[in-house]
Structures are given as C-alpha cells and as structure tokens.
Amino acid sequence: MDDPERVRARLEETGYLVDEGLAVTCFLALRLHRPLFCEGDAGVGKTALAAALAEALGAPLIRLQCHEGIDASQALYDWDFPRQLLHLRAAEAAGVTDAERLESELYDRRFLIARPLLRALQTQPSVLLVDEIDRADDEFEAFLLELLSEHSVTIPELGTLRAEEPPVAVLTSNRTREVHDALKRRCLYHWFDHPSFARELAIVRRRLPRVSARLAEQVTALVQALRGADLIKPPGVAETLDWAEALDALGANELDADLALATLGSVLKYREDTERARGLDITAVLAARGG
Amino acid sequence: MLLGFVRALRAAGVEASTERLHAFLRAVAALRPGVRADVFWAGRATLCGGHDDLERYERVFAAYFGSAGERAPRPARAAAPSRLRLVARKAPVVAGMPGDGEPQGPPAAVLAGSAEVLRHRDVATLDAAERAQLRCLLAAFALEGQARRSARRRPARRGEVDPRRTVRELLRRGGEPARLRRHARVERPRRVVLLVDVSGSMAPYADALLRFAHAAVRAGRTEAFTIGTRLTRVTRELSHRDPDVAMAAVAAAVPDWRGGTRLGELVREFLNRWGQRGMARGAIVVLLSDGWERGDPELLGRQMRRLHALAHQVIWANPRKARPGYAPLAAGMAAALPSVDAFVEGHSLAALERLAAVVRGADAGAERVTGAGRAAGPDPVRGAERA
C-alpha cells in the first residue's frame, strides 16, 4: 500500500468506506509506524477501522479492551504459576537435584502467558486495537508509552523483547476524559465525524447488500434527521446499520411512519430521545427523500 | 513555508510542539509531493491534539495556504456536536492573514452573540493585598473526593490472599511452605467535577470561586467548567501552577463573563458532551451557582434528575444562601433542589472550606471544620432548606 489512494481502495474492498482524510492518515500510520489515535462519538466506526485495517493487511486483529484498574499483568504478560508449580513437583518426583537448571527452567517462555500487547509484538504482522483508552487510569497510559514508541517490552526474567515489524496500533477514545498529551503526541490524531448522507448511504448499501435501495435511503435519511434533533445520544453509523438490518429482518422493503416508530428501539436508547423522535414529522422526512 | 505555517498555528492557540513539527515534516515527506489535500490531512493528523484544535487548524490552513480555487476539504458535520460551535460559526471570523501582527487568542475569545452580554473580565483588577491573601488561603485547598474502591490491588498486611505473590514466595523457597501474602484493594478518591457559574448575578463571587477551582484542579482529580450563557471546560487552563497565569488563561477562554444564565440548557450540554460519557459517573458534582435561571426551570429540574442518577453525589453551593431570610425561591433553585444531595453556602472562605469538607465526606472534613461548620453537614442543611 504505497499511497493513500491504494490504502483507500484496499479498505473499501473490505467494506469499510473512508474519506480522503482518513485514507491519508491511515497511510501515514502504516508508513511512519505511528499509532493512530481515533476520537469521536460512539458508533462512528473507530473500532471498525481497526478491523478493516486488519482485514486489508491480512493480519490478525489483537484487541485490548481497557477498563478502570487495568494493569500490566492483564495487558502485557503474566507467568503461569500453577504450571510452574506443577513443573517443580514433577521435577522433584523425578529426582532432579540441579537447582540452578530447575530455576532457569521456571522462567522459560513456555510458562509465559502473553496478554494482548505482548501477543501483538510477537505476531507479525498484526493490528493492535487498544479500545477505549479513556476508560483506563492515567498510569496505564504512561505504561503504554514505551510500547508504542519503542515497540519493545522488558520482562525482568527474560530481557527485552522487541518486535521486528511493529504492529499497526489503533487507539480509540470516546472522550470521557482527556488523554494525556504525552500519549497523544506519539500518535496520529483523527477525529471521526458523522458521515454525510451520501457516504452513509454508501456504507449501508455496501455492508447490507440485501437491504433494498429504497429502504436503505429512507433509513439513512431518517437517522440523519434524528442526528439534528438534539438528542441525548445521537445515533451513529452502527445504529443505522442495526436499524436497516432489523427492518430487513422484518421483511420490510420500505419504511413508513408507523413502522419507523415501532422499531425506534434499534436506534434510540433513551426514553427522552424516543419521545423527542415521536415529535418529529417522520412522514415529511420520508417524503422529502425520494418519496 | 511549513515552518511558517506551524508558527501561525501556534499563534492561533494550537499547541504544536517541536516533536509534532518533526512528525509533520516526516509525514509530508512520505506523501505525494505538492498535493495540497495531503499536506492538509498530514498536518491535521500530526499537529492537532484534540477536537478543539481542529477548527483553529482549518482556519489557519485556509488563511496560510489561501483558499483560492480548491477549498480545504472539510468533512461534512451532520449533527452539531455542540452548541458552542454553532454560535462560533455564526460569528464573524477574522479573515486576516497570519503575520498581520495581532497575536490571536483562541477564536472563542473574540466572539460575541447579539442577545448576550459577553464581556471580558480582567481578573487583574482585584486589589493586590486582597489577592495575595486569597491566594494564600485558597492554595491550602485540596478538593479530594471521597474514597472509592478501585479494581486494582496492592500488597497489604491484611486482606485477601494474593495468590500470585504467595506462589512466587513459595517458588523462591523451592516449594517450602511460606507466609501467605495478602493484598487489598486500592482506594482512590472519587473524581470531582466543578461547574462554576460566571453569569452576571454571580460576578462578585466568580473570581474567588474560580481561584477555589484552581486550587482544586491543581490538587488532582478535579474537572472544572464554567457556565453562564455557554459551557466552557477550563480544566486545562486552570492546571497552570501560578494562579494568576491560570486565571488569565481562564479569562481568555471564557467568552461569557457576566452574561445571563441558562442553567438547564448548560447542565444538559454538560451531560450530553461529558457527563453521560463518563465524567459524571460515580463522581461528585459540585454546582457553584445562585440558581438564577433565565430559561425554563422545568428543564433544569429534568437535567438535575439525570445528573443525580449518574453522579455519586450532587452538591450545590449557593453564595446567596448565607443572606438572612434566604429561601430557595428562585425558580431554578427550587426546581433543582430535589436532586441535590447537599445544599451548602458558598459566599466566603469559611463556606468554601465547609464545601471542601462535604466533598471529602463529612467525617473526613470534620477535623478541619470549626464548630459552626460541623453543624452544616449535608443532611441537616438539606432538611432545613427543603422545608
């Protein structure tokens, strides 16, 4: 993938449509071996980008879901203590007396449990997704710094492990808190907006080819209208796809106001939002779009 | 030319460090030479550090590389992400070329809506002795939330058995029985979120309250916002060590000093943009306001219920509460009270000390609060005010 246009084409083959900006940013991430820091509302395709990149590169996707209190032993590596103990017992039973050898065997690679970050360094090539980094504590960000800029990890018993080909790293954040600048400035930054009508329609058509053209258009138009309606949680592309899929499962070929209201639960997840949506003139939105 | 562009960007308030500059140059070198859009996106990905930077970046880029013929590619913004940006787009944008000489502050600082009374307030007008005294006293504050248990554990004398360390100890002794190692959950203070009202009716207090917020932000896990006619996040501005520098940064960032108050809408905006996503979850949210609501009090009541459902504790500090004969009759205050866990005063240093004690949890605070303050725990106050 040696220019942004090629990156865009490869991603589109996987069904993930990117605009020019994201294509350039992804290209730079691959070329400069820099992590990609993705911010934006929920459901706009941040996580899906990592999956699409993995598919386009033919590399496994290794995912680390962050949460409060996540630490090195959950993210990086751990020693398999039960197996180490078993090994000791077995050696004892076999009458092994060479203590030094026994000890060095204990910290053998086979007792090392690789968690996602170490696995990503060991797998080449690979795409590493660090999902919702804003949920982890800020100490954890500091811990990621070495890994993301040096592509190496130090395990006291084994020494430093370095990836020959660094993994493609994608970090996502929903902006529940400000991520530290030290981490951000080692990454490429991309802000995900909600897509335009044409792009979103193209995404629906691409991802759900079974859905009729008319239904896809109506669903997209309605979701776009809902996004302008000042909701607590404006629907993302993920919700558009869910809705279209749900309507298709119901055997619908086109949408009317009654059906839309009956299936709003696929799109809106707050009672207040549903009430507000009921106040919208759905028929007018549908009529305006190729009615 | 690229260096000049980065300089113009810095003048516009984007903190593009040397490291980012290097990344930018490397990125441009990796791309198709001379393609304007490539340069645009490379710069956006390497020089910007957050959503707030993007608008400034687009503006400076258009000004620096000219918008003749092809315009800077601009992603369609379907939904308005925030009210703040909507207003900002309506406002006249200064279309000066960089190098005109005037160092531009953040764009929000030069904006003025028609119906709003937006004025900059020079925080340096405080008399010097008073300021020094206040600084001394406020610097002593550390607004720490009550402890909450986190998922993390650390070695401890008592607590649950820590299998990992116990086994490691066993291994070290070659399988001989060893002492059980234990660990306990780490306790961390809860996040504190301050919403400071800077509208006209709060003018006599805003300065002191913001200095209070400064001390709190400096001490740790505290987020600060100003509310008035807009919601502005000022945590970053307040994190500067020197209070005067921090206050100047806030003065530059907050566009709505002494305007009106639209508490309901702004609490809703806070919840939609920050609170719902996690900032208010399990946090201690403190509103510092007199509760004068120009908008719909019912909206405020609804949003306060939402806030109350998300937050661990909602505290309202009202400077007017100390006045003799005060009753929460202002429509906004009355609508908000049912969703408030503690209703305290906020007019003086002593009141702020008491507020800090309530935030810390009444027990922990009791030692630092004098006799009068002890009576002002959350419950009795709340009961009295409700009556």
Side-chain angles (χ1 to χ4, degrees):
Chain A
M1 298 209 225
D2 41 10
D3 71 48
E5 215 30 63
R6 203 74 58 81
V7 174
R8 186 225 293 260
R10 285 288 285 279
L11 284 173
E12 286 194 4
E13 280 168 32
T14 72
Y16 188 89
L17 305 187
V18 294
D19 57 22
E20 185 179 24
L22 188 52
V24 172
T25 312
C26 287
F27 167 75
L28 287 173
L30 296 173
R31 171 60 65 88
L32 304 177
H33 300 303
R34 277 196 159 228
L36 186 54
F37 191 91
C38 304
E39 263 186 349
D41 289 343
V44 286
K46 303 186 294 290
T47 305
L49 171 67
L53 274 174
E55 199 183 331
L57 294 166
L61 174 69
I62 297 170
R63 176 177 177 155
L64 176 69
Q65 170 68 53
C66 296
H67 55 81
E68 199 189 334
I70 190 171
D71 61 18
S73 67
Q74 290 161 318
L76 195 51
Y77 72 90
D78 206 351
W79 290 103
D80 190 343
F81 287 113
R83 281 195 58 209
Q84 283 176 321
L85 262 190
L86 211 61
H87 179 75
L88 274 186
R89 285 282 163 76
E92 213 172 56
V96 177
T97 48
D98 187 348
E100 219 162 274
R101 206 194 83 199
L102 202 57
E103 201 180 323
S104 67
E105 272 177 4
L106 278 181
Y107 291 102
D108 191 85
R109 286 226 181 180
R110 67 192 158 127
F111 296 122
L112 189 67
I113 305 173
R115 305 280 191 215
L117 294 179
L118 181 58
R119 219 158 59 230
L121 289 183
Q122 288 173 335
T123 317
Q124 276 143 16
S126 64
V127 175
L128 170 65
L129 167 64
V130 181
D131 214 6
E132 301 187 323
I133 176 77
D134 52 327
R135 286 183 181 230
D137 311 302
D138 30 10
E139 295 94 325
F140 186 72
E141 289 171 25
F143 159 80
L144 278 179
L145 291 179
E146 184 201 358
L147 189 112
L148 291 178
S149 51
E150 308 289 324
H151 313 294
S152 65
V153 184
T154 307
I155 300 175
E157 295 87 353
L158 290 178
T160 302
L161 304 179
R162 187 178 300 271
E164 285 150 36
E165 189 192 332
V168 179
V170 177
L171 287 79
T172 74
S173 158
N174 286 331
R175 288 217 300 168
T176 59
R177 66 177 176 85
E178 202 78 65
V179 171
H180 201 282
D181 198 50
L183 181 63
K184 277 186 164 181
R185 67 169 195 260
R186 285 170 171 81
C187 303
L188 295 170
Y189 179 81
H190 191 80
W191 171 262
F192 284 69
D193 265 311
H194 289 293
S196 65
F197 174 77
R199 176 165 297 279
E200 185 160 24
L201 180 59
I203 294 171
V204 176
R205 298 288 287 148
R206 189 55 173 268
R207 295 289 286 275
L208 302 170
R210 270 162 38 84
V211 172
S212 77
R214 188 171 158 71
L215 182 61
E217 200 166 297
Q218 287 178 319
V219 167
T220 311
L222 211 47
V223 169
Q224 296 252 337
L226 285 173
R227 270 182 211 140
D230 196 17
L231 302 178
I232 294 176
K233 167 74 183 77
V237 182
E239 278 79 23
T240 317
L241 291 169
D242 284 351
W243 201 8
E245 207 169 10
L247 289 165
D248 182 58
L250 289 172
N253 282 323
E254 60 177 302
L255 196 55
D256 56 43
D258 288 341
L259 187 57
L261 287 176
T263 50
L264 267 182
S266 314
V267 204
L268 302 179
K269 314 288 160 129
Y270 288 92
R271 192 177 58 84
E272 293 85 344
D273 285 356
T274 316
E275 270 165 21
R276 197 171 269 264
R278 284 180 201 286
L280 279 180
D281 191 349
I282 293 178
T283 324
V285 175
L286 294 177
R289 194 50 73 173
Chain B
M1 185 163 93
L2 295 178
L3 293 179
F5 168 58
V6 173
R7 219 169 295 135
L9 206 55
R10 282 179 191 153
V14 177
E15 285 172 43
S17 62
T18 317
E19 197 179 339
R20 286 191 190 276
L21 170 64
H22 285 305
F24 177 45
L25 296 178
R26 285 207 298 141
V28 170
L31 286 161
R32 293 166 291 194
V35 181
R36 187 173 182 279
D38 279 11
V39 177
F40 174 83
W41 289 109
R44 208 173 105 128
T46 49
L47 297 171
C48 295
H51 190 228
D52 297 341
D53 288 344
L54 299 182
E55 194 186 41
R56 293 171 198 170
Y57 177 79
E58 285 171 22
R59 188 163 49 81
V60 174
F61 190 89
Y64 200 80
F65 293 99
S67 45
E70 39 172 346
R71 289 207 46 196
R74 223 195 151 114
R77 286 220 176 88
S82 74
R83 201 150 289 113
L84 206 150
R85 199 154 301 94
L86 270 179
V87 179
R89 240 184 295 155
K90 264 187 273 168
V93 175
V94 188
M97 290 291 288
D100 272 359
E102 82 270 60
Q104 291 177 355
V110 295
L111 305 175
S114 50
E116 303 169 333
V117 190
L118 304 180
R119 265 201 285 160
H120 277 278
R121 197 180 158 205
D122 188 359
V123 291
T125 50
L126 257 184
D127 101 54
E130 203 178 272
R131 194 172 43 195
Q133 195 184 4
L134 201 70
R135 192 192 308 165
C136 272
L137 292 167
L138 285 175
F141 271 122
L143 198 59
E144 285 223 324
Q146 300 158 29
R148 79 185 291 187
R149 292 194 331 165
S150 86
R152 191 173 295 190
R153 291 184 168 82
R154 58 173 172 70
R157 294 289 291 277
R158 52 190 74 196
E160 298 164 56
V161 173
D162 179 348
R164 197 172 300 153
R165 283 176 59 243
T166 304
V167 171
R168 198 177 292 148
E169 180 75 15
L170 275 173
L171 286 173
R172 200 172 294 138
R173 299 172 179 226
E176 291 301 308
R179 215 153 54 89
L180 288 178
R181 300 285 158 162
R182 296 174 185 279
H183 58 184
R185 284 187 187 273
V186 173
E187 297 215 324
R188 344 184 67 204
R190 286 182 185 275
R191 186 189 349 250
V192 180
V193 181
L194 298 176
L195 302 174
V196 183
D197 190 342
V198 293
S199 62
S201 57
M202 286 287 286
Y205 303 105
D207 192 80
L209 292 182
L210 281 169
R211 280 171 188 272
F212 172 72
H214 171 257
V217 168
R218 288 288 306 156
R221 297 168 62 84
T222 301
E223 292 279 350
F225 293 82
T226 61
I227 50 179
T229 50
R230 312 246 179 87
L231 175 77
T232 314
R233 185 181 185 199
V234 292
T235 311
R236 199 190 283 187
E237 282 76 11
L238 284 176
S239 61
H240 197 282
R241 196 165 43 127
D242 185 324
D244 291 325
V245 176
M247 293 306 281
V250 171
V254 174
D256 52 348
W257 293 94
R258 292 188 180 169
T261 332
R262 298 177 303 144
L263 285 173
E265 279 174 57
L266 293 176
V267 171
R268 179 173 67 187
E269 188 175 332
F270 166 72
L271 288 169
N272 288 355
R273 278 185 73 192
W274 305 96
Q276 187 90 35
R277 297 210 190 113
M279 194 182 277
R281 266 178 223 282
I284 296 169
V285 181
V286 184
L287 283 107
L288 297 142
S289 167
D290 56 6
W292 276 105
E293 169 67 312
R294 293 259 183 95
D296 175 11
E298 202 189 313
L299 175 69
L300 178 63
R302 259 201 318 275
Q303 298 307 320
M304 289 301 291
R305 278 198 294 282
R306 255 180 89 195
L307 177 63
H308 194 235
L310 277 171
H312 174 73
Q313 202 181 6
V314 179
I315 300 172
W316 193 303
N318 188 338
R320 313 256 168 213
K321 182 170 178 279
R323 303 219 169 152
Y326 171 84
L329 293 180
M333 199 64 245
L337 269 185
S339 309
V340 169
D341 294 308
F343 185 45
V344 299
E345 299 169 1
H347 64 292
S348 67
L349 207 63
L352 291 177
E353 273 170 5
R354 213 165 300 140
L355 169 64
V358 174
V359 169
R360 226 177 289 122
D363 288 343
E367 300 153 16
R368 292 176 90 187
V369 177
T370 48
R374 204 162 307 197
D379 287 332
V381 179
R382 186 181 179 183
E385 280 306 327
R386 280 253 180 98

